[in-house]
Amino acid sequence: MPLFAKKHKIPLGIYIHVPFCRSKCQYCDFYSVTEKNDRLLDGYQDAVCTHIKEAGILAPDYVVDTIYFGGGTPSFFGADGMAAILTTIRKSFKVSSSAEISFEANPDSVSDRLLRRLRSEGFNRVSLGIQCDDDNILKKIGRPHNYAQAVSAVNRIRRFGFKNLSLDLMYGLPGQSLQDWEKTLANVLKLQPEHISCYGLKVEEGTPLYEYREFCNLADDDTQADMYLSAIEILGRHGYRQYEISNFCRKGNVSRHNLKYWNGDPYLGFGPNASSDFGGQRFTIIRDLEGYIRNMKTGKPVLQDVQTIAPRERAGEYLMMRLRTVSGIDPKEYEKKYLLPFAPLERNLIQCKERGLATKTFDGRWHLTPNGFLLSNSIISDLLLIQEQN
Amino acid sequence: MTDLSKIRNFSIIAHIDHGKSTLADRLLEECAAIDQREMEDQILDSMDLERERGITIKATAVQLTYQADDGEVYALNLIDTPGHVDFNYEVSRSLAACEGAVLVVDASQGVEAQTLANTFLATDAGLEVLPVINKIDLPSARPQEVKQEIEDIICVPAEDAPEISAKNGINIHSVLEMIVRDVPAPKGDRNAPLQALIFDSVYDSYRGVIVYTRIKEGTVRAGMDIKMMATGATYKVVEVGTMNPRGLTPRDALGAGEVGYITASIKTVADTQVGDTITSVENPATTPLPGYRPVQPMVFSGVYPADGAKYQDLREALEKLKLNDASFVYELESSIALGFGFRCGFLGLLHMEIIQERLEREYNLDLITTAPNVSYRVTKLDGTVLMVDNPLDYPDPMEIQLAEEPFVKVNLMAPQEYVGNIMDLATSRRGEFKDMVYLDANRVELHYEMPLNEIIYDFFDALKSRTRGYGSLDYELIGYRPSKLVKLDILLNGDIVDALSFILFADNAYPRARKICERLKENIPRAQFEIPVQAAIGGKIIARETIKALRKDVLAKCSVGDNTRKKKLLEKQKEGKKRMRTFGTVSVPSEAFMAVLKLDED
């Protein structure tokens, strides 16, 4: 340990973007490639490891308490590569012994070998993308697995000793009715995951789904809203507490890593298109695997879009991110941290409360209600405008 | 100076689309005034807008040098006239600068309302009217019948009218020969006191105003002190000359009978009103030329920047446009809903659209315009008389003794099979039938008197659609008449949006109110709460719609790796809200205003 290192280290999250997939899902606009050859895989692994080593030197005052392999499909990339990257992280950073170390997986690529290896390397949380229980819909949206594979994957994940499992679900899928969605929830509850994420389908421009969105029987906004409210109700009844717009957990099993985004805590991202919030700056790596590999090898810049975040902007992010969570925003904290008046915001929040969209807790915090979450863009953009005008 | 006997001053008149500007181009070509290369179609219509709409908005003039078959060289002054009923006065002044008019009639369409109206204007001005049958290359051309129509309907000999195709350059030579032969040479005494008719003027940032003029009597030369007889303004002439297709050609002097330009360091076109007479300060004429009329706007509308911060930009743009167009007026107004803007007066609806389009295109402004209205005359109980051209100024009904609105005489012309349709339309617009005249075996002209307000929105379009494009229209103001008027207010979530208020005939209020509420419902985005849209007269609600509350507007996934992009989405949404106008608690996009304006387009 360096001589003058601080006694109390700052917690840090690390995100590894693994940009490999077996196939592209019809709705997905995350960065990934479906090409998988040794040159790319090795090149990627080398680039990420070099990058991690470089960054580690700059972060002696931090202790890593969450690591998250997302994608893409980390499980498709493979256990050896992930293990090598994790080892590099451990060598380059101080990693807390109680760190949450997660990886995303698809049911078709969680082999026994992968699970055994990753568990032994210290991975302790799995986020499994199963989306829904209807094989027809899974096929329609381009998922490379069926529901039986998902159930089998869950069983094997448990068998290899992972005690923290999250299941990703989607609602508003092509042809999916409210009843279909409730059936999916009922089935998934039988699998007893610690954590569930429910994401409403959003049709993003540039995805294949966008092109035929008119013709695939998508739920309208009102139906999606009903699906959302029904999820909150059903999950709540089964002991899953909502802690963010789309996230639910049992017994405090929140995603500590994702909470960092919502709380505005620092994190470093590696891999193409990963973003970071570190040292008062926010930066994103280029959205180009080949370019990332090449530039890391030749010492050229890999960042695009480096921004120093002004306090004023932090104040905006505070509203944007915190209002996604059930703990919401704290007026006293807001005023103290950003030296801005809360009263104009509160006036608007009171209107929201009258409309049943927000609640003020006994200790003065504000958070959105389920109906408020549904309108969070509209509410937050109003607040941002008010913030800007005061 | 050109000898009087070698000058021909003429105009080309036609119904819209009968080929006036194309013929002008061919005449220019035939006189080798410009070669093919330089021809940008229809050189006289110099604004993009004019070219796009195929109409002439501003008059222009050009001098052609033509060697006729008799061996003599003639100066032919072609004065192009605006081609729309909104600009009738301007047309009449251009015609007053000529001795003859070439009447272009489409060989398949035949005589139409504006053919008639323009011919009357020309004969009223004492012009020789020379018909030309255009578009004879079209398969549907029926030149003989059309000639008969011309003789029957407008009583002008047409037997020898040249049959031409301006588009394909057929028989253009015969038109030029006809002009030399049949347009009378101008008369005038070049030693008499100066009387020069202003028929147009344009603003040039280097020279100031360039006045287009026809010298009726006397002579004007550089250095002379001149006076505008109507406005009283005096100037020293800097330059005189003639307008040639390639630009202005300075000359020593312009004498009676000639058409040319004058510059005199004049700062604004408002000082050089169309129809005014220029005379000499030293040796003034005793009377001005007849026919001058000050500009009178007929249609009024509020013009606001869509982004309130662009108010100064709008002001500057209006000032610049005004430099070149004395016929529109504007004054500052403010609305609770829209902030600062201007109440503008226009000659007619087309004129209004043109100004608005120029503001948007040439000055890059996004505008919100309020519903156009006419100027109402209101007599209050205490006897004071108000001219109300802004709904916000409309007095409380309790204070009104008499409300009057302007009426026009409308001439509608169409093949007789559409008479029923036209009558339905005119009746639905409160038209009072006067009479109907058979112009020939199957063509009729109907005369109505109706409120100007009823034709300023979309009457022309409605007429076209009900007559398959064959109907045509012409109108003139005949004065004010008592009327049952009410002011209709629109409320969003209980608050009156002043910019949406307007004055209308009481019996039309209910259907109109219902339609406006429907349109607003379609165009205002759903909000976090339910929004009632109401229409009211006085305090009484007469129509209502409800905009349901928005249920879902959320970024479901905002986590690993992509929160930066999602954050930009929210920033964008915030910026979008800035551009909306907030009325009380309701945000209204500018499209909603547009939708209300275009109410009658169904």
Side-chain angles (χ1 to χ4, degrees), chain A residues 237-251:
Chain A
R237 206 159 6 99
H238 288 82
Y240 290 84
R241 196 178 73 87
Q242 181 178 28
Y243 70 99
E244 193 260 357
I245 289 184
S246 305
N247 287 283
F248 304 80
C249 68
R250 271 198 317 196
K251 299 173 195 150

Side-chain angles (χ1 to χ4, degrees), chain B residues 10-12 20-21 24 42-47 50 56-63 77-82 90 94 98 199-202 212 243-244 248 259:
Chain B
F10 71 102
S11 198
I12 305 176
K20 185 172 66 126
S21 300
Q42 302 181 357
I43 197 157
L44 289 179
D45 291 348
S46 51
M47 277 189 266
E50 291 183 318
T56 309
I57 297 163
K58 277 184 80 72
T60 9
V62 66
Q63 188 174 80
N77 292 310
L78 161 58
I79 296 164
D80 200 14
T81 55
E90 286 70 15
S94 292
C98 306
F199 62 83
D200 196 13
S201 54
V202 296
Y212 293 161
M243 287 78 80
N244 294 81
L248 304 179
V259 171

Side-chain angles (χ1 to χ4, degrees), chain B residues 202-226:
Chain B
V202 296
Y203 182 81
D204 178 288
S205 37
Y206 298 105
R207 304 161 184 253
V209 176
I210 299 171
V211 182
Y212 293 161
T213 181
R214 158 71 195 273
I215 315 296
K216 289 286 192 179
E217 296 290 344
T219 301
V220 62
R221 47 172 49 90
M224 222 169 115
D225 289 313
I226 53 166

Side-chain angles (χ1 to χ4, degrees), chain A residues 15 224 246 324 374 388, chain B residues 552-553 555-556 560 574 578:
Chain A
Y15 173 68
Q224 264 212 22
S246 305
R324 297 188 64 87
L374 274 169
E388 189 179 293
Chain B
K552 175 184 159 282
D553 180 13
L555 295 171
V560 197
K574 177 193 77 180
K578 266 194 216 166

Side-chain angles (χ1 to χ4, degrees), chain B residues 488-548:
Chain B
L488 187 69
D489 292 317
I490 304 297
L491 294 82
L492 292 178
N493 207 17
D495 299 322
I496 292 185
V497 180
D498 61 358
L500 289 174
S501 298
F502 60 98
I503 300 163
L504 78 173
F505 184 60
D507 295 2
N508 294 346
Y510 280 87
R512 186 120 194 164
R514 266 201 300 279
K515 226 159 154 187
I516 288 188
C517 291
E518 279 167 24
R519 283 295 171 88
L520 284 170
K521 181 187 174 180
E522 288 160 18
N523 282 280
I524 294 175
R526 289 163 72 179
Q528 293 164 19
F529 46 91
E530 193 177 277
I531 305 170
V533 179
Q534 295 160 305
I537 295 173
K540 193 178 159 224
I541 305 292
I542 63 166
R544 175 186 167 127
E545 291 281 341
T546 305
I547 301 170
K548 279 202 316 183

Side-chain angles (χ1 to χ4, degrees), chain A residues 115-129:
Chain A
L115 291 169
R116 185 182 302 117
R117 176 79 200 272
L118 293 183
R119 186 68 198 96
S120 70
E121 289 290 336
F123 282 87
N124 52 27
R125 185 172 182 275
V126 185
S127 172
L128 187 71

